[in-house]
Amino acid sequence: GAVVSQHPSRVICKSGTSVKIECRSLDFQATTMFWYRQFPKQSLMLMATSNEGSKATYEQGVEKDKFLINHASLTLSTLTVTSAHPEDSSFYICSAAEGPEKLFFGSGTQLSVL
Amino acid sequence: GDSVTQMEGPVTLSEEAFLTINCTYTATGYPSLFWYVQYPGEGLQLLLKATKADDKGSNKGFEATYRKETTSFHLEKGSVQVSDSAVYFCALSHTGNQFYFGTGTSLTVIP
């Protein structure tokens, strides 16, 4: 089946630094990608919907200036956590839509901010 | 708003035991319901789905029935194997792309 590659799988950074997470669709073009976040013992929550060539749509409560999303090509979307703080430590996962009801997920990124 | 509640884990079972992971939902309208599975080091994979009331989704020996009257979509398997050890996510979607997930339930099957 289709594969979505997410990198890195784990990152540890110092408070105040920025971290970039990449999400690539390896064998299909994805006009839409989604970014989710999961805090411990909570649900995977949709953060934003990323459309190729246009601005991302953020869910309520998600700071667009803190979580920068770039979907510059049909196979790549990036999420940059700017000026990360310990409260941003979480599991981030992306998904890419090959078509209606054809959604594929990356393996996730565990971010730890010290 | 829409939401999904699933039983907390972790769940530890012996091989060949019966598995049930409970999932209930709150939603407007009639969403599709899904179970996703995440094996260690891999992305979430669709395990099964049901698109309307009373539908039963099934795959790899797992089953779940869309129960509108109880707003539930419990996952069951009659005899689990060590290879079923993974994290299981219940989810709903109206569009097929935008999902509402539960917290995930970690399952460990011991020989």
Side-chain angles (χ1 to χ4, degrees), chain B residues 2-26:
Chain B
D2 294 356
S3 66
V4 173
T5 302
Q6 65 181 100
M7 65 183 285
E8 289 191 26
V11 174
T12 302
L13 294 174
S14 297
E15 206 165 22
E16 298 184 4
F18 184 85
L19 168 72
T20 299
I21 300 178
N22 290 336
C23 171
T24 57
Y25 68 91
T26 301

Side-chain angles (χ1 to χ4, degrees), chain A residues 14-17 66 81-89 111 113-114:
Chain A
K14 292 183 178 180
S15 186
T17 61
K66 181 169 187 61
V81 183
T82 62
S83 187
H85 288 92
E87 58 266 29
D88 299 322
S89 298
L111 169 64
V113 184
L114 305 178

